[in-house]
Amino acid sequence: MLTIRLTCPVHTLDKQLLLSENSQISTKTIDTLISSNRQKFYKTYFLSEHGSVKVDLINFLYESNYKVIFADQKNTAKVLSILEEVHLISPILESLDYFKNYDFYTYKHILRVFALSTLISLNLLTNWKDLFKEFSSGPAHDFGKICVPLDILQKTAPLTRKERYILEHHTLAGYVLLGYYYRDKHNFNAKVARDHHERKNSSGYPRGIKLRDRLVEIVAVSDIYDALISPRPYRPISFDNRSALEEITTMAEKKQLSWKVVQALVALNRKSKPQFSVCKVSQEKRGSPPPKNNYGVIIESENNYFRENYK
Ligand SMILES: [Fe+2]
Ligand SMILES: [Fe+2]
């Protein structure tokens, strides 16, 4: 494991400190932390039976920004039948309650990333074991955001460099927390939490590694797409569908993402619903990204703005 230092502390929802700021994330640190967990076992519960998850998910999928993908009733039905199969440990379900109460955007985003990554993986993956791992990773991918202050998650102005580090901390925090709860540093949900902002050409974070895992990449693409087509605090107007798909296509052109996963997303967005393997992805750019987008804009001081490439 690549050793990396934490920029912020990792704590549980009830504020139990697991690792302090500046801790090194190494095999030894994680093994010690896991063996310090006295709770041997966390009960699992069905996601569909938790709170209002099922009704909320149905409502989120009927919103206009998903109208092409989920206007197809078969897609909605597939996602809802998978939802009945997914069971998660109680800390993940408690994090959903937390986001629902305090950061509704993240709650909605987590459920929609579950739905979209489920659909893409049904098209791309054949191994049931892989599929099942994939289904349960969507609801946990941003788990580490419980360690990011709400005023940073909801900030509308450009972030300072320090705030950006704190936001990016959600990846390692999620890895540490999920490794701890599952008592397994190789747990797939923990891996997705850590690596879903990595890119194939090493341009991502937190480690800047080459993203090679197809399953993690399916969550990464779903995550980017949902963020683009949703209004965000830092960008009040969302990308329209064409511009969002063009942004993602550009990322594949830059070798940040693989064409196959992008092709599967584009196929879902075609009204004719072609097989992803025969779906041609246009590289023509005709969309118009929305104005007032503060994504990736960093403010060092009041007079000094600059943009970084975080995608
Ligand atoms: Fe994330
Ligand atoms: Fe996300």
Side-chain angles (χ1 to χ4, degrees):
M1 187 197 297
L2 207 67
T3 301
I4 189 165
R5 209 173 267 283
L6 284 178
T7 49
C8 305
V10 177
H11 57 75
T12 62
L13 254 185
D14 52 8
K15 302 289 177 211
Q16 180 198 342
L17 182 69
L18 294 190
L19 289 177
S20 53
E21 186 180 348
N22 280 326
S23 301
Q24 293 267 12
I25 302 286
S26 62
T27 305
K28 194 172 162 224
T29 324
I30 300 298
D31 286 342
T32 309
L33 182 69
I34 289 171
S35 57
S36 76
N37 187 354
R38 296 277 159 253
Q39 190 159 343
K40 290 261 178 298
F41 171 77
Y42 291 88
K43 233 179 134 180
T44 62
Y45 299 88
F46 283 105
L47 178 60
S48 63
E49 291 172 6
H50 185 73
S52 53
V53 161
K54 191 171 176 180
V55 174
D56 292 341
L57 179 63
I58 293 170
N59 288 332
F60 298 155
L61 299 184
Y62 283 133
E63 286 183 11
S64 59
N65 46 7
Y66 272 96
K67 64 174 179 273
V68 182
I69 300 179
F70 290 103
D72 184 338
Q73 294 292 321
K74 277 190 263 159
N75 283 343
T76 313
K78 274 185 206 166
V79 168
L80 292 178
S81 76
I82 298 292
L83 179 72
E84 303 292 336
E85 305 285 322
V86 175
H87 47 93
L88 297 165
I89 53 172
S90 49
I92 297 177
L93 296 170
E94 284 159 17
S95 77
L96 284 177
D97 297 338
Y98 168 79
F99 292 125
K100 186 176 178 184
N101 289 329
Y102 298 105
D103 185 21
F104 197 76
Y105 165 75
T106 298
Y107 174 68
K108 186 191 280 196
H109 168 71
I110 284 169
L111 290 182
R112 296 209 298 201
V113 168
F114 156 73
L116 189 54
S117 57
T118 292
L119 266 188
I120 294 177
S121 54
L122 285 171
N123 286 337
L124 279 185
L125 309 175
T126 47
N127 182 328
W128 175 248
K129 246 180 153 180
D130 280 351
L131 276 165
F132 207 79
K133 273 160 68 180
E134 186 71 47
F135 299 152
S136 64
S137 64
H141 82 282
D142 274 338
F143 186 74
K145 284 190 175 169
I146 66 168
C147 294
V148 179
L150 292 167
D151 56 352
I152 294 183
L153 288 181
Q154 294 164 359
K155 192 172 172 187
T156 53
L159 299 180
T160 64
R161 184 170 294 279
K162 188 168 176 217
E163 287 168 336
R164 183 78 212 180
Y165 287 147
I166 296 170
L167 181 63
E168 292 183 357
H169 170 67
H170 81 276
T171 50
L172 290 173
Y175 171 69
V176 170
L177 284 158
L178 291 166
Y180 173 80
Y181 286 127
Y182 281 107
R183 306 178 66 83
D184 174 12
K185 62 177 178 285
H186 302 297
N187 173 269
F188 181 68
N189 286 353
K191 183 178 175 179
V192 171
R194 182 188 61 194
D195 293 345
H196 70 278
H197 288 283
E198 302 287 5
R199 300 292 176 249
K200 287 190 86 63
N201 66 352
S202 315
S203 61
Y205 66 87
R207 297 182 293 163
I209 56 160
K210 275 191 168 58
L211 179 58
R212 296 181 200 276
D213 190 314
R214 173 59 47 87
L215 303 188
V216 181
E217 204 189 349
I218 290 173
V219 176
V221 168
S222 308
D223 181 54
I224 298 163
Y225 177 74
D226 185 66
L228 288 171
I229 63 165
S230 306
R232 303 295 302 268
Y234 52 77
R235 191 197 57 228
I237 303 169
S238 52
F239 280 66
D240 61 58
N241 207 34
R242 166 174 272 279
S243 308
L245 292 174
E246 287 181 4
E247 281 282 307
I248 292 173
T249 305
T250 303
M251 291 177 77
E253 286 163 0
K254 290 182 185 167
K255 302 195 171 16
Q256 294 173 333
L257 300 170
S258 58
W259 280 107
K260 211 171 177 182
V261 183
V262 173
Q263 198 179 20
L265 173 67
V266 171
L268 282 173
N269 274 287
R270 292 267 158 81
K271 286 209 172 82
S272 58
K273 300 288 178 284
Q275 271 287 320
F276 84 90
S277 53
V278 295
C279 175
K280 284 205 168 45
V281 179
S282 162
Q283 293 185 42
E284 186 191 344
K285 305 288 185 288
R286 285 193 280 127
S288 49
K292 296 187 183 150
N293 184 2
N294 281 331
Y295 183 79
V297 178
I298 301 288
I299 176 170
E300 279 292 1
S301 66
E302 276 182 26
N303 301 319
N304 181 13
Y305 287 80
F306 58 96
R307 181 177 283 272
E308 291 202 343
N309 182 9
Y310 277 109
K311 288 179 185 170

